[in-house]
Amino acid sequence: DAGITQSPRYKITETGRQVTLMCHQTWSHSYMFWYRQDLGHGLRLIYYSAAADITDKGEVPDGYVVSRSKTENFPLTLESATRSQTSVYFCASSSRLAGVDSEQFFGPGTRLTVL
Amino acid sequence: GDSVTQMEGPVTLSEEAFLTINCTYTATGYPSLFWYVQYPGEGLQLLLKATKADDKGSNKGFEATYRKETTSFHLEKGSVQVSDSAVYFCALSVASGSARQLTFGSGTQLTVLP
């Protein structure tokens, strides 16, 4: 499918388990982002990546790990899930060529529940 | 640090009513400003943007003007439709590290009744 996709769309896990959320984009965009969406907080940036093998922390990185071995994929791993990580997670991408204020394109989101 | 404050919702309007969603910001330097919209069950989509003071962004009947003197970027639409029901996010873009990042407001839920 063209565009940006996330999997799974819904996930229920238990405290302490490792969980990986997948993000895939077909546009060859340089920049990719992970956000979490919580009521009252809007979206908060977890990690971002400017290119393959280049990642950097956002506002709320604790408890998360990212990697980017290929331009099109940007997985987010919760190494030991906690209840406070229950949230909706959005992946986004944007093009370097479109300029520094290029539009970010968002995936459909993954709703994660940690019991 | 940089931040965005939006009027709290939810906002409920009748079809064809006038819409205003207030947004103010705090930022160092000169940010770019955005409105994103999230329809039920979907990711966010860019609605409009403005990159410098006095710019007006517009799309689908929505407008917002970048007001540097009042640090505001209020969203307006003259006549809303049921299909405009969604969550609206104001955001600003600042340079940080190797990319410009978006800082979002908390979102405003809009419901338009027929």
Side-chain angles (χ1 to χ4, degrees):
Chain A
D1 291 337
I4 183 165
T5 57
Q6 295 183 234
S7 62
R9 294 293 312 277
Y10 302 90
K11 177 73 177 178
I12 299 173
T13 190
E14 296 178 340
T15 301
R17 289 190 180 265
Q18 182 179 75
V19 178
T20 295
L21 310 184
M22 304 301 295
C23 178
H24 175 78
Q25 51 102 356
T26 61
W27 297 304
S28 298
H29 282 171
S30 294
Y31 293 102
M32 295 188 75
F33 308 82
W34 274 107
Y35 295 90
R36 59 178 290 173
Q37 183 181 30
D38 304 291
L39 277 175
H41 289 280
L43 277 76
R44 291 180 292 176
L45 182 65
I46 303 171
Y47 269 96
Y48 65 97
S49 169
D53 298 322
I54 300 174
T55 62
D56 209 345
K57 296 178 179 179
E59 180 185 355
V60 288
D62 292 344
Y64 303 94
V65 175
V66 294
S67 62
R68 194 158 176 217
S69 57
K70 294 184 178 180
T71 299
E72 61 266 30
N73 297 323
F74 191 38
L76 176 74
T77 298
L78 289 66
E79 294 191 302
S80 179
T82 65
R83 290 181 181 173
S84 64
Q85 293 177 309
T86 292
S87 186
V88 180
Y89 291 85
F90 287 99
C91 180
S93 70
S94 67
S95 167
R96 178 194 297 272
L97 292 179
V100 294
D101 288 314
S102 62
E103 176 181 356
Q104 288 191 20
F105 295 86
F106 284 79
T110 295
R111 183 176 293 276
L112 176 67
T113 301
V114 183
L115 302 176
Chain B
D2 303 309
S3 65
V4 176
T5 302
Q6 283 182 240
M7 68 182 283
E8 295 197 7
V11 175
T12 302
L13 296 173
S14 297
E15 205 165 25
E16 299 184 4
F18 184 85
L19 169 70
T20 299
I21 300 178
N22 290 335
C23 171
T24 58
Y25 67 89
T26 302
T28 55
Y30 301 97
S32 295
L33 301 173
F34 305 82
W35 278 100
Y36 277 80
V37 58
Q38 183 182 27
Y39 298 104
E42 298 183 10
L44 279 70
Q45 303 172 25
L46 179 65
L47 181 60
L48 53 84
K49 70 177 183 180
T51 58
K52 61 183 186 297
D54 299 325
D55 267 3
K56 177 184 283 188
S58 61
N59 186 25
K60 299 181 180 179
F62 291 89
E63 293 183 341
T65 301
Y66 188 143
R67 300 290 187 198
K68 183 182 173 185
E69 63 276 13
T70 55
T71 62
S72 65
F73 193 54
H74 305 320
L75 183 68
E76 297 182 335
K77 186 175 186 183
S79 176
V80 294
Q81 306 300 312
V82 172
S83 58
D84 293 327
S85 298
V87 181
Y88 292 81
F89 292 92
C90 185
L92 63 82
S93 170
V94 294
S96 178
S98 58
R100 290 182 75 92
Q101 300 179 28
L102 285 172
T103 297
F104 287 89
S106 57
T108 301
Q109 172 81 53
L110 170 66
T111 301
V112 181
L113 303 176

Short mmCIF file of all heavy atoms in Angstrom, two decimals, chain A residues 48-102:
data_model
loop_
_atom_site.label_atom_id
_atom_site.label_comp_id
_atom_site.label_asym_id
_atom_site.label_seq_id
_atom_site.Cartn_x
_atom_site.Cartn_y
_atom_site.Cartn_z
N TYR A 48 12.72 10.93 16.83
CA TYR A 48 12.65 11.21 15.42
C TYR A 48 13.95 10.77 14.74
O TYR A 48 14.95 10.49 15.40
CB TYR A 48 12.35 12.68 15.13
CG TYR A 48 13.41 13.66 15.58
CD1 TYR A 48 14.36 14.14 14.69
CD2 TYR A 48 13.44 14.12 16.88
CE1 TYR A 48 15.33 15.04 15.08
CE2 TYR A 48 14.40 15.02 17.31
CZ TYR A 48 15.33 15.49 16.40
OH TYR A 48 16.29 16.38 16.79
N SER A 49 13.88 10.74 13.43
CA SER A 49 15.03 10.29 12.64
C SER A 49 15.15 11.15 11.39
O SER A 49 14.15 11.38 10.70
CB SER A 49 14.85 8.82 12.25
OG SER A 49 15.81 8.43 11.30
N ALA A 50 16.36 11.63 11.13
CA ALA A 50 16.58 12.47 9.95
C ALA A 50 16.97 11.65 8.72
O ALA A 50 16.91 12.16 7.60
CB ALA A 50 17.64 13.51 10.24
N ALA A 51 17.39 10.41 8.94
CA ALA A 51 17.81 9.54 7.84
C ALA A 51 18.11 8.18 8.43
O ALA A 51 18.10 8.01 9.66
CB ALA A 51 19.05 10.10 7.15
N ALA A 52 18.37 7.21 7.58
CA ALA A 52 18.73 5.88 8.08
C ALA A 52 19.95 6.01 8.99
O ALA A 52 20.89 6.75 8.71
CB ALA A 52 19.03 4.97 6.90
N ASP A 53 19.88 5.33 10.13
CA ASP A 53 20.96 5.28 11.12
C ASP A 53 21.17 6.60 11.87
O ASP A 53 22.16 6.73 12.60
CB ASP A 53 22.28 4.84 10.48
CG ASP A 53 22.20 3.44 9.91
OD1 ASP A 53 21.54 2.59 10.56
OD2 ASP A 53 22.74 3.20 8.83
N ILE A 54 20.25 7.56 11.72
CA ILE A 54 20.34 8.81 12.48
C ILE A 54 19.04 8.99 13.24
O ILE A 54 17.97 9.16 12.64
CB ILE A 54 20.56 10.02 11.56
CG1 ILE A 54 21.86 9.88 10.76
CG2 ILE A 54 20.57 11.32 12.37
CD1 ILE A 54 22.06 10.98 9.74
N THR A 55 19.12 8.92 14.57
CA THR A 55 17.94 9.10 15.40
C THR A 55 18.25 10.07 16.52
O THR A 55 19.42 10.26 16.90
CB THR A 55 17.46 7.77 16.01
OG1 THR A 55 18.48 7.24 16.86
CG2 THR A 55 17.12 6.76 14.93
N ASP A 56 17.21 10.68 17.07
CA ASP A 56 17.41 11.64 18.16
C ASP A 56 16.17 11.65 19.05
O ASP A 56 15.06 11.32 18.61
CB ASP A 56 17.66 13.03 17.61
CG ASP A 56 18.52 13.87 18.53
OD1 ASP A 56 18.68 13.48 19.73
OD2 ASP A 56 19.03 14.91 18.10
N LYS A 57 16.38 12.03 20.31
CA LYS A 57 15.30 12.03 21.28
C LYS A 57 14.38 13.22 21.09
O LYS A 57 14.80 14.31 20.71
CB LYS A 57 15.88 12.07 22.70
CG LYS A 57 16.69 10.84 23.07
CD LYS A 57 17.26 10.98 24.47
CE LYS A 57 18.06 9.75 24.85
NZ LYS A 57 18.65 9.87 26.21
N GLY A 58 13.11 12.99 21.41
CA GLY A 58 12.15 14.05 21.44
C GLY A 58 11.85 14.46 22.87
O GLY A 58 12.71 14.40 23.75
N GLU A 59 10.61 14.82 23.11
CA GLU A 59 10.20 15.33 24.43
C GLU A 59 10.08 14.25 25.49
O GLU A 59 10.39 14.48 26.66
CB GLU A 59 8.86 16.07 24.28
CG GLU A 59 8.30 16.66 25.54
CD GLU A 59 6.91 17.26 25.34
OE1 GLU A 59 6.43 17.30 24.19
OE2 GLU A 59 6.29 17.67 26.35
N VAL A 60 9.62 13.04 25.09
CA VAL A 60 9.32 11.99 26.07
C VAL A 60 9.94 10.65 25.67
O VAL A 60 9.23 9.68 25.41
CB VAL A 60 7.79 11.85 26.29
CG1 VAL A 60 7.24 13.03 27.05
CG2 VAL A 60 7.06 11.69 24.94
N PRO A 61 11.26 10.54 25.63
CA PRO A 61 11.90 9.33 25.11
C PRO A 61 12.06 8.18 26.10
O PRO A 61 12.33 7.04 25.70
CB PRO A 61 13.28 9.84 24.69
CG PRO A 61 13.57 10.92 25.70
CD PRO A 61 12.23 11.58 25.96
N ASP A 62 11.90 8.45 27.41
CA ASP A 62 12.23 7.44 28.41
C ASP A 62 11.34 6.21 28.27
O ASP A 62 10.12 6.31 28.21
CB ASP A 62 12.09 8.03 29.81
CG ASP A 62 13.14 9.08 30.08
OD1 ASP A 62 14.15 9.13 29.33
OD2 ASP A 62 12.97 9.86 31.03
N GLY A 63 11.98 5.03 28.26
CA GLY A 63 11.25 3.77 28.17
C GLY A 63 11.06 3.28 26.74
O GLY A 63 10.46 2.23 26.53
N TYR A 64 11.56 4.04 25.77
CA TYR A 64 11.40 3.70 24.35
C TYR A 64 12.76 3.58 23.68
O TYR A 64 13.72 4.26 24.06
CB TYR A 64 10.59 4.76 23.61
CG TYR A 64 9.22 5.03 24.19
CD1 TYR A 64 9.02 6.06 25.10
CD2 TYR A 64 8.13 4.24 23.82
CE1 TYR A 64 7.77 6.31 25.63
CE2 TYR A 64 6.87 4.49 24.34
CZ TYR A 64 6.70 5.54 25.24
OH TYR A 64 5.45 5.78 25.77
N VAL A 65 12.80 2.72 22.66
CA VAL A 65 14.00 2.56 21.85
C VAL A 65 13.57 2.57 20.39
O VAL A 65 12.53 1.99 20.04
CB VAL A 65 14.72 1.24 22.17
CG1 VAL A 65 15.89 1.02 21.22
CG2 VAL A 65 15.20 1.23 23.61
N VAL A 66 14.36 3.21 19.54
CA VAL A 66 14.07 3.21 18.11
C VAL A 66 15.32 2.77 17.34
O VAL A 66 16.43 2.81 17.84
CB VAL A 66 13.62 4.59 17.59
CG1 VAL A 66 12.27 4.97 18.17
CG2 VAL A 66 14.68 5.65 17.89
N SER A 67 15.08 2.39 16.11
CA SER A 67 16.15 2.07 15.18
C SER A 67 15.69 2.44 13.79
O SER A 67 14.48 2.54 13.54
CB SER A 67 16.51 0.58 15.24
OG SER A 67 15.40 -0.21 14.87
N ARG A 68 16.65 2.64 12.89
CA ARG A 68 16.27 2.93 11.50
C ARG A 68 17.37 2.43 10.58
O ARG A 68 18.23 3.18 10.15
CB ARG A 68 16.03 4.43 11.30
CG ARG A 68 15.32 4.70 9.98
CD ARG A 68 14.62 6.01 9.97
NE ARG A 68 14.03 6.28 8.67
CZ ARG A 68 14.00 7.49 8.14
NH1 ARG A 68 14.51 8.53 8.80
NH2 ARG A 68 13.43 7.68 6.97
N SER A 69 17.29 1.14 10.29
CA SER A 69 18.29 0.53 9.41
C SER A 69 17.95 0.75 7.95
O SER A 69 18.84 0.75 7.09
CB SER A 69 18.42 -0.97 9.71
OG SER A 69 17.16 -1.59 9.56
N LYS A 70 16.67 0.96 7.67
CA LYS A 70 16.23 1.25 6.29
C LYS A 70 15.41 2.53 6.29
O LYS A 70 14.67 2.80 7.24
CB LYS A 70 15.38 0.11 5.73
CG LYS A 70 16.13 -1.19 5.53
CD LYS A 70 15.20 -2.22 4.87
CE LYS A 70 15.94 -3.51 4.61
NZ LYS A 70 15.06 -4.53 3.97
N THR A 71 15.51 3.30 5.22
CA THR A 71 14.80 4.57 5.14
C THR A 71 13.31 4.41 5.36
O THR A 71 12.68 5.25 6.01
CB THR A 71 15.03 5.21 3.76
OG1 THR A 71 16.42 5.46 3.59
CG2 THR A 71 14.27 6.53 3.62
N GLU A 72 12.73 3.32 4.87
CA GLU A 72 11.27 3.19 4.89
C GLU A 72 10.68 2.69 6.20
O GLU A 72 9.48 2.74 6.38
CB GLU A 72 10.82 2.28 3.74
CG GLU A 72 11.35 0.86 3.82
CD GLU A 72 12.63 0.67 3.02
OE1 GLU A 72 13.41 1.66 2.89
OE2 GLU A 72 12.87 -0.45 2.55
N ASN A 73 11.52 2.18 7.10
CA ASN A 73 11.00 1.60 8.33
C ASN A 73 11.53 2.32 9.56
O ASN A 73 12.72 2.68 9.61
CB ASN A 73 11.37 0.11 8.42
CG ASN A 73 10.74 -0.71 7.32
OD1 ASN A 73 9.61 -0.45 6.91
ND2 ASN A 73 11.47 -1.70 6.82
N PHE A 74 10.67 2.45 10.56
CA PHE A 74 11.08 3.15 11.78
C PHE A 74 10.35 2.50 12.97
O PHE A 74 9.36 3.02 13.48
CB PHE A 74 10.74 4.63 11.68
CG PHE A 74 11.33 5.51 12.75
CD1 PHE A 74 12.61 5.30 13.23
CD2 PHE A 74 10.61 6.60 13.25
CE1 PHE A 74 13.16 6.13 14.20
CE2 PHE A 74 11.15 7.43 14.22
CZ PHE A 74 12.42 7.20 14.69
N PRO A 75 10.80 1.35 13.42
CA PRO A 75 10.12 0.67 14.53
C PRO A 75 10.38 1.33 15.88
O PRO A 75 11.46 1.87 16.12
CB PRO A 75 10.72 -0.75 14.48
CG PRO A 75 12.07 -0.56 13.85
CD PRO A 75 11.91 0.56 12.87
N LEU A 76 9.36 1.26 16.72
CA LEU A 76 9.43 1.79 18.09
C LEU A 76 9.27 0.62 19.05
O LEU A 76 8.29 -0.11 18.96
CB LEU A 76 8.32 2.81 18.32
CG LEU A 76 8.19 3.38 19.74
CD1 LEU A 76 9.32 4.37 20.02
CD2 LEU A 76 6.83 4.07 19.93
N THR A 77 10.22 0.46 19.98
CA THR A 77 10.18 -0.65 20.93
C THR A 77 10.03 -0.14 22.35
O THR A 77 10.75 0.78 22.76
CB THR A 77 11.45 -1.52 20.82
OG1 THR A 77 11.52 -2.09 19.51
CG2 THR A 77 11.44 -2.64 21.85
N LEU A 78 9.08 -0.73 23.05
CA LEU A 78 8.95 -0.53 24.48
C LEU A 78 9.63 -1.72 25.13
O LEU A 78 9.16 -2.84 25.02
CB LEU A 78 7.49 -0.47 24.91
CG LEU A 78 6.67 0.75 24.51
CD1 LEU A 78 6.47 0.85 23.01
CD2 LEU A 78 5.31 0.72 25.22
N GLU A 79 10.77 -1.49 25.74
CA GLU A 79 11.59 -2.61 26.21
C GLU A 79 10.94 -3.35 27.38
O GLU A 79 11.06 -4.57 27.48
CB GLU A 79 12.97 -2.13 26.59
CG GLU A 79 13.77 -1.62 25.38
CD GLU A 79 15.22 -1.38 25.71
OE1 GLU A 79 15.47 -0.56 26.63
OE2 GLU A 79 16.10 -1.98 25.06
N SER A 80 10.27 -2.63 28.25
CA SER A 80 9.57 -3.23 29.39
C SER A 80 8.35 -2.36 29.65
O SER A 80 8.42 -1.36 30.35
CB SER A 80 10.49 -3.27 30.62
OG SER A 80 9.80 -3.82 31.72
N ALA A 81 7.24 -2.74 29.05
CA ALA A 81 6.06 -1.88 29.03
C ALA A 81 5.55 -1.58 30.44
O ALA A 81 5.56 -2.44 31.33
CB ALA A 81 4.96 -2.53 28.20
N THR A 82 5.09 -0.34 30.61
CA THR A 82 4.47 0.09 31.86
C THR A 82 3.08 0.62 31.57
O THR A 82 2.77 1.01 30.43
CB THR A 82 5.30 1.19 32.54
OG1 THR A 82 5.28 2.35 31.71
CG2 THR A 82 6.73 0.74 32.78
N ARG A 83 2.24 0.68 32.59
CA ARG A 83 0.86 1.14 32.38
C ARG A 83 0.82 2.57 31.88
O ARG A 83 -0.09 2.96 31.14
CB ARG A 83 0.07 1.00 33.67
CG ARG A 83 -0.21 -0.44 34.03
CD ARG A 83 -1.02 -0.57 35.29
NE ARG A 83 -1.24 -1.98 35.62
CZ ARG A 83 -1.80 -2.40 36.74
NH1 ARG A 83 -2.21 -1.52 37.64
NH2 ARG A 83 -1.97 -3.68 36.96
N SER A 84 1.81 3.37 32.27
CA SER A 84 1.84 4.77 31.83
C SER A 84 2.10 4.90 30.33
O SER A 84 1.97 6.00 29.77
CB SER A 84 2.90 5.55 32.61
OG SER A 84 4.19 5.05 32.32
N GLN A 85 2.49 3.80 29.70
CA GLN A 85 2.72 3.82 28.26
C GLN A 85 1.47 3.44 27.46
O GLN A 85 1.51 3.36 26.23
CB GLN A 85 3.89 2.92 27.89
CG GLN A 85 5.21 3.44 28.43
CD GLN A 85 6.38 2.52 28.13
OE1 GLN A 85 6.32 1.31 28.39
NE2 GLN A 85 7.45 3.07 27.57
N THR A 86 0.37 3.21 28.16
CA THR A 86 -0.91 3.05 27.48
C THR A 86 -1.24 4.35 26.77
O THR A 86 -1.29 5.41 27.40
CB THR A 86 -2.02 2.69 28.49
OG1 THR A 86 -1.76 1.39 29.01
CG2 THR A 86 -3.39 2.72 27.82
N SER A 87 -1.44 4.28 25.46
CA SER A 87 -1.59 5.50 24.68
C SER A 87 -1.93 5.13 23.24
O SER A 87 -1.97 3.95 22.88
CB SER A 87 -0.28 6.30 24.71
OG SER A 87 -0.42 7.56 24.08
N VAL A 88 -2.15 6.15 22.43
CA VAL A 88 -2.23 5.96 20.98
C VAL A 88 -0.93 6.50 20.39
O VAL A 88 -0.54 7.64 20.69
CB VAL A 88 -3.44 6.68 20.38
CG1 VAL A 88 -3.47 6.44 18.86
CG2 VAL A 88 -4.73 6.20 21.02
N TYR A 89 -0.28 5.68 19.58
CA TYR A 89 1.02 6.03 19.01
C TYR A 89 0.88 6.33 17.52
O TYR A 89 0.30 5.54 16.78
CB TYR A 89 2.01 4.90 19.23
CG TYR A 89 2.37 4.73 20.69
CD1 TYR A 89 1.58 3.97 21.54
CD2 TYR A 89 3.49 5.35 21.22
CE1 TYR A 89 1.90 3.84 22.88
CE2 TYR A 89 3.83 5.22 22.55
CZ TYR A 89 3.02 4.47 23.37
OH TYR A 89 3.35 4.34 24.71
N PHE A 90 1.42 7.47 17.12
CA PHE A 90 1.38 7.85 15.71
C PHE A 90 2.79 7.97 15.16
O PHE A 90 3.67 8.56 15.78
CB PHE A 90 0.68 9.20 15.53
CG PHE A 90 -0.80 9.13 15.72
CD1 PHE A 90 -1.38 9.49 16.92
CD2 PHE A 90 -1.62 8.69 14.68
CE1 PHE A 90 -2.75 9.43 17.09
CE2 PHE A 90 -2.99 8.62 14.84
CZ PHE A 90 -3.56 8.99 16.06
N CYS A 91 2.96 7.43 14.00
CA CYS A 91 4.18 7.59 13.23
C CYS A 91 3.91 8.65 12.15
O CYS A 91 2.79 8.75 11.65
CB CYS A 91 4.55 6.25 12.58
SG CYS A 91 6.03 6.27 11.59
N ALA A 92 4.93 9.41 11.81
CA ALA A 92 4.79 10.43 10.77
C ALA A 92 6.08 10.49 9.96
O ALA A 92 7.14 10.06 10.41
CB ALA A 92 4.48 11.79 11.37
N SER A 93 5.97 11.03 8.76
CA SER A 93 7.16 11.21 7.93
C SER A 93 7.06 12.54 7.18
O SER A 93 5.96 13.08 6.99
CB SER A 93 7.31 10.06 6.93
OG SER A 93 6.32 10.12 5.93
N SER A 94 8.21 13.06 6.79
CA SER A 94 8.23 14.27 5.97
C SER A 94 9.46 14.25 5.08
O SER A 94 10.45 13.57 5.35
CB SER A 94 8.19 15.54 6.82
OG SER A 94 9.38 15.68 7.56
N SER A 95 9.37 15.02 4.02
CA SER A 95 10.41 15.02 2.99
C SER A 95 11.44 16.11 3.24
O SER A 95 11.10 17.25 3.51
CB SER A 95 9.77 15.23 1.62
OG SER A 95 10.76 15.52 0.66
N ARG A 96 12.68 15.78 3.14
CA ARG A 96 13.75 16.79 3.23
C ARG A 96 13.65 17.78 2.09
O ARG A 96 13.80 18.96 2.28
CB ARG A 96 15.11 16.09 3.18
CG ARG A 96 16.30 17.05 3.22
CD ARG A 96 17.57 16.31 2.82
NE ARG A 96 17.89 15.26 3.76
CZ ARG A 96 18.63 15.45 4.86
NH1 ARG A 96 19.09 16.64 5.13
NH2 ARG A 96 18.89 14.43 5.66
N LEU A 97 13.33 17.29 0.89
CA LEU A 97 13.35 18.14 -0.29
C LEU A 97 12.29 19.22 -0.24
O LEU A 97 12.40 20.23 -0.90
CB LEU A 97 13.18 17.29 -1.54
CG LEU A 97 14.35 16.35 -1.85
CD1 LEU A 97 14.05 15.54 -3.10
CD2 LEU A 97 15.64 17.14 -2.02
N ALA A 98 11.23 19.00 0.52
CA ALA A 98 10.15 19.98 0.57
C ALA A 98 10.50 21.15 1.48
O ALA A 98 9.73 22.06 1.62
CB ALA A 98 8.86 19.32 1.03
N GLY A 99 11.64 21.11 2.12
CA GLY A 99 12.03 22.26 2.94
C GLY A 99 11.84 22.01 4.41
O GLY A 99 11.23 21.04 4.84
N VAL A 100 12.33 22.90 5.20
CA VAL A 100 12.34 22.68 6.64
C VAL A 100 10.94 22.68 7.23
O VAL A 100 10.73 22.15 8.31
CB VAL A 100 13.21 23.72 7.35
CG1 VAL A 100 14.65 23.56 6.97
CG2 VAL A 100 12.74 25.13 7.04
N ASP A 101 9.98 23.29 6.57
CA ASP A 101 8.63 23.29 7.11
C ASP A 101 7.71 22.39 6.30
O ASP A 101 6.54 22.66 6.15
CB ASP A 101 8.07 24.72 7.13
CG ASP A 101 8.74 25.54 8.21
OD1 ASP A 101 8.86 25.03 9.33
OD2 ASP A 101 9.14 26.67 7.92
N SER A 102 8.27 21.33 5.77
CA SER A 102 7.45 20.44 4.97
C SER A 102 6.40 19.75 5.83
O SER A 102 6.60 19.51 7.01
CB SER A 102 8.31 19.40 4.28
OG SER A 102 8.97 18.60 5.21
#
